[in-house]
Amino acid sequence: EASLRVDGSPRAEGFLDFDVQLGTQPVRRVLLRLYALDASANGPQLFSAQPFDEATTDWAHRPVVSGSALANLGAVTRDSWVEIDVTDVVTTSGRHAFALVPDSADGLRFASSEARERGIIDAAPQLVVVTDTAPRCSYRGTKPSGTTAWVKQSTAVEAERSQHTAP
C-alpha cells in the first residue's frame, strides 16, 4: 500500500524507521514530517518503537511500542504536512523508529515512501535534522570609493540553516 493507515476501527497502526546520521554540528531540532492524505478530528498518537525490518513486519510481528506518547496529533487537515518535534528522542546517530497508534475510530492515511517510489505523490515521511551553523561575516566593498557592506549570518532558528533528511 502506498500510504500509512492509522485507524481505531478496524484497528490499523503505522510504523516508521529512520537511519539517522547526526554529524558533528550541534542539533537544534529534529522534526518528523508526515503528509496527511485525509483529515481527522482526532489524529493518532506518536510513540517510540523498536527498529524493525519491513520485510518481516506484519500485524502478528509488529515493532514493540515503548514509553508514553511523544505527541498527540489532534486535528489533522487533509493534504497538509504535520510536523512533530522529536528532538528529545533522536539524540544519537543510528536507527530510530516510531509508531502511529490510533486515538479514536476517526482514521486517516499519511503518504508513504512507496507513494513516492510509485510516482503517486512526492511526500514520503521525513526526519528533518536542523543543526546550528556558526555565524560568519563576509566583506563586500567597491573600488575606488571604499564603500563597505557587512553581511552577517544569523544563528536564529528562522535564519539560514543546514538540513539533513534521512530517507
Side-chain angles (χ1 to χ4, degrees), residues 1-3 37 111-123:
E1 185 163 327
S3 65
L37 299 171
S112 69
S113 56
E114 286 82 8
R116 181 185 61 208
E117 290 166 6
R118 294 180 189 176
I120 298 169
I121 185 171
D122 189 14

Side-chain angles (χ1 to χ4, degrees), residues 6 26 33 78 81 92 99 102 139 163 165:
V6 183
R33 297 186 75 222
R78 178 188 169 144
W81 285 98
T92 60
Y139 170 78
Q163 291 188 355
T165 305

